Amino acid sequence: MQTEMAGIETRGDVLRRTGRIMVIAAGMTAVMSFTIGMLVFGRDLAAPITVGQMQAFGLTAGVFIGVTLSGAMSYRAGMLMLALAQTRRELAQISQTDQLTGLLNRRGFDAEAAAALDQAQADGAAVAMLMCDIDHFKAINDRYGHEIGDKVLVEIADVLRQFATRHGALVARYGGEEFAAVVTGLSHEQAAHGAEEIRRDCAGRTILDGVTQLPVTISIGFTVKETGFDLGSLLRTADQALYAAKRHGRDRVEHARDAA
């Protein structure tokens, strides 16, 4: 169905497809009419036909052909609608997913994070927002090339994905070498431990460029809020803590209230 739909690009394609369907419908009608006629009147073409036989033929043929064709067309239309719905879902997923890492992109994260904040507010749970940035990523790209840079991004994304699995977090590649995570129900100490967990796991990863192993570190800023959640405010506060971590030497975690 999707292959057939992919071939419809112009009004002419629609008209040609409609014509083919009409020809098929006419052929089916002719075949079914002939078959029903043989059943009602028999094989003797010279045999006399009564009015009752004609009425029986007309009623039987009309009902059978109408039901069969409408059922076939309804099924076909239903399959086309199903294909369209699947295509819409796939496009929506693509539009909200980072193609390199498989994580949510900024658009997808903002949408799902907003829903998570609403749920946390309803549950009375605290929210921790983490912003992570790969240290010296531009230098990595400049020295080793974008292929190695992409491998670095994939490795860091894998660390975030494992963190999300362990803690029920929502994680994303928020842009460039920056990643974001939001997790609910954590205290300040638990959020700090989780951020340190991410930093430590990233530092433990190495990227092999064919000659040497490239160590990778990240800086993390986080904030914890217990009520009155606003996504934009949380992101800005965590981002400020992230830049403090950068200023204070990188490869470290900073909480917003401690950032200076």
Side-chain angles (χ1 to χ4, degrees), residues 73-224:
M73 293 303 143
S74 294
Y75 175 78
R76 186 178 185 84
M79 291 301 293
L80 287 171
M81 292 174 65
L82 176 61
L84 283 171
Q86 291 173 339
T87 299
R88 283 196 297 268
R89 284 194 296 270
E90 291 170 1
L91 289 174
Q93 182 177 9
I94 290 172
S95 72
Q96 296 187 349
T97 303
D98 176 61
Q99 297 305 295
L100 175 64
T101 64
L103 299 181
L104 292 171
N105 59 19
R106 182 170 186 164
R107 177 181 180 181
F109 180 82
D110 285 351
E112 295 201 22
L117 296 185
D118 289 342
Q119 187 61 53
Q121 184 71 47
D123 296 340
V127 169
M129 179 69 70
L130 292 74
M131 295 298 290
C132 316
D133 190 84
I134 301 173
D135 296 328
H136 305 295
F137 185 71
K138 183 179 184 303
I140 293 173
N141 270 333
D142 291 343
R143 180 174 180 181
Y144 298 98
H146 290 283
E147 182 178 354
I148 295 300
D150 286 349
K151 289 182 179 180
V152 170
L153 290 168
V154 170
E155 286 289 327
I156 300 304
D158 187 55
V159 171
L160 269 294
R161 187 178 292 107
Q162 292 182 25
F163 173 81
T165 299
R166 290 192 299 268
H167 299 282
L170 187 66
V171 298
R173 181 184 175 192
Y174 208 64
E177 67 271 28
E178 194 170 50
F179 295 81
V182 62
V183 57
T184 61
L186 297 186
S187 66
H188 169 268
E189 290 73 19
Q190 290 171 324
H193 178 77
E196 181 59 30
E197 182 182 307
I198 294 172
R199 186 207 63 77
R200 184 181 62 247
D201 290 350
C202 287
R205 298 286 179 114
T206 54
I207 310 300
L208 186 65
D209 71 349
V211 180
T212 60
Q213 285 189 326
L214 172 66
V216 178
T217 64
I218 65 169
S219 299
I220 301 175
F222 77 97
T223 185
V224 178

Side-chain angles (χ1 to χ4, degrees), residues 26 45 53 65 72 90 102 113 135 183 186 195 231 235 244:
L45 299 179
Q53 287 176 315
I65 294 173
E90 291 170 1
D135 296 328
V183 57
L186 297 186
L231 179 60
L235 287 167

Side-chain angles (χ1 to χ4, degrees), residues 45-77:
L45 299 179
I49 301 173
T50 66
V51 173
Q53 287 176 315
M54 285 297 298
Q55 290 176 334
F57 170 74
L59 180 61
T60 304
V63 171
F64 182 77
I65 294 173
V67 169
T68 302
L69 288 180
S70 63
M73 293 303 143
S74 294
Y75 175 78
R76 186 178 185 84

